[in-house]
Every structure is written in C-alpha cells, then in structure tokens.
Amino acid sequence: MSLIAPPELAIIGGTGLYALAELDDVQLEQPVTRYGALSGPVHMGLFAGRRVAFLARHGEGHSLPPHRINYRANLSALQALGATRVLALNTVGGIGERFGPRVLACPDQLIDYTHGRIGTFCEEEGSEVLHVDFGDPYTPSLRRRVIDAAAAAGVGLVDGGCYGATQGPRLETRAEIARLRRDGCDLVGMTGMPEAALARELGLEYACLAIVANWAAGAGPVVDEQITLDEVLANVAAASAGLPALLRALLQ
Ligand code: HPA
C-alpha cells in the first residue's frame, strides 16, 4: 500500500489522452504487481484540489497495442494505490447515428468480441472462482455521477449506448461493423474489455467515458471513407475540450 493519500478518482486515459494537463503536485508511482508491469507510471496529483490518479493505458508513448496492455496489472496497481473508483476514457468509433465523431458518451452496456486476453483474476491454481455479476457492466451510480457532472458543466454527453470491444489492433471491416450494428452496438473500441470485467472482479466502481474519434467503417455518411490516425487524434482533441470542466464537476 502506498503512503500517498488515496485518490478520489482514478482515470485511465486512452488513445490521444496521455496526460492530464491540469494535474498539480504530481508524484509518479509505479507499484510492483504480481501480474507484471503496468502500462507506465501512475500520475498521482491534485485536480481542482482533489486527489486524482492518472494512468495512460497505452503507455506514455502509445507503445502498447490493445491486446498487449496488461489490464490486470493496471487495475491492481490502481487499487494498491487506494483507488476505489475508475473512470475509463476510451477512444472509439461511432456506429449509431447519435454517436458521430466528437461525441462524448457514457455507455451502459457492452459486448465483448476480444479473444486471447487474460480476462480474469481467477487464473492461478487455488484462486477463488468468481462468477461476478456483470449484467450492468458499468457501475450505475458512477455512470449517474458522470452524466450529472456533464449536465452541471454544460458538456454534451450521450447517456447510454452499447460498446462493442473488438480485438484490433486493425480497424474493422464494413461487414464487421454491420454485424456489430445488428448486435446492438453503438460504439466500437479495442480496450473496453477485459478492463471492465477485471474492475468488477476487484470490486472497483468503473464507468466508461467514450470519445468518438471517427465513424466506424461504413457507419458514416461516406460509406467507403478511410479512417486516418490524424482524423482520430484531431477529433479526440476537439471532443476532449469539455473534459476538464466535466471532471471538475465530477470531483465536486
Ligand atoms: N474501431 C475500433 N476502435 C477504434 C475506432 C474504430 O473505428 N476508432 C477509435 N478506436
């Protein structure tokens, strides 16, 4: 256990979100976990006077692709630092018509299409098998606080939606996105799972704030439009403009 005061909120940043500019008094912590190395140092500091921990999910230089992120190490390190509440920032593609580029959304459901990732802490011989309830994959009370904070801060946020977690690192085919749409997915990203399930196993409160970077393949008005990294980063930067105000309201 760290000697630093526990954070009121831990934030995991996704693609295009590698630091929290408004974090003051930052101390870097990199706890050793039994699951191996986390994505990078945890930035522990003060945001609007409140203790916050920030971790860049892909590493600070975006060196880790989604399937190589050590989700177990990241979450167990945040818990070791005293975090009980995690806000996951996930860059996504939009599928549903309310989820176009630059939209912020707080999904309430997910479907997992990933494979080959370690999705549980019940891996070791003799460890207790946990069949955690996952009907609501995101903690309803934390979602409510995020939605209320966005309203208080005057930041547009879509309440709800289903996040489809794909394996990546390649983007999807148009047929895959058509299938996700038929399945009921509104958003698609590569890092939402197993993070959400692991957080639940640890008993952490967990909500996702999805940042729509692009129309998913074939989902936008120009069906054969190519998705470029420049477009993704520009839209994430534009959509993130309201994040500091939203976080300030959330931490009140
Ligand atoms: N698909 C999957 N993940 C993503 C996308 C996408 O279109 N955009 C940003 N992350």
Side-chain angles (χ1 to χ4, degrees), residues 15 91-94 166 170-172 177 188-190 211 213-217 227 232:
T15 300
T91 299
V92 297
T166 54
R170 65 166 177 83
L171 293 160
E172 299 74 30
I177 293 300
V188 57
M190 301 173 191
I211 300 164
N214 55 276
W215 283 114
I227 301 164
V232 165

Side-chain angles (χ1 to χ4, degrees), residues 119-217:
T120 177
F121 287 99
C122 315
E123 268 285 301
E124 289 140 47
E125 192 84 10
S127 67
E128 191 194 349
V129 179
L130 297 171
H131 294 292
V132 289
D133 182 89
F134 204 47
D136 277 314
Y138 304 111
T139 307
S141 55
L142 184 56
R143 280 195 68 249
R144 175 51 42 208
R145 288 182 54 185
V146 171
I147 291 155
D148 290 348
V155 175
L157 178 75
V158 178
D159 171 0
C162 180
Y163 177 114
T166 54
Q167 177 68 4
R170 65 166 177 83
L171 293 160
E172 299 74 30
T173 66
R174 290 200 287 272
E176 286 167 338
I177 293 300
R179 171 190 171 208
L180 263 68
R181 188 197 292 278
R182 288 194 299 276
D183 285 354
C185 296
D186 301 295
L187 303 162
V188 57
M190 301 173 191
T191 52
M193 282 293 281
E195 201 175 83
L198 293 168
R200 180 63 51 85
E201 283 192 355
L202 289 180
L204 297 167
E205 291 183 32
Y206 183 93
C208 165
L209 182 58
I211 300 164
V212 183
N214 55 276
W215 283 114

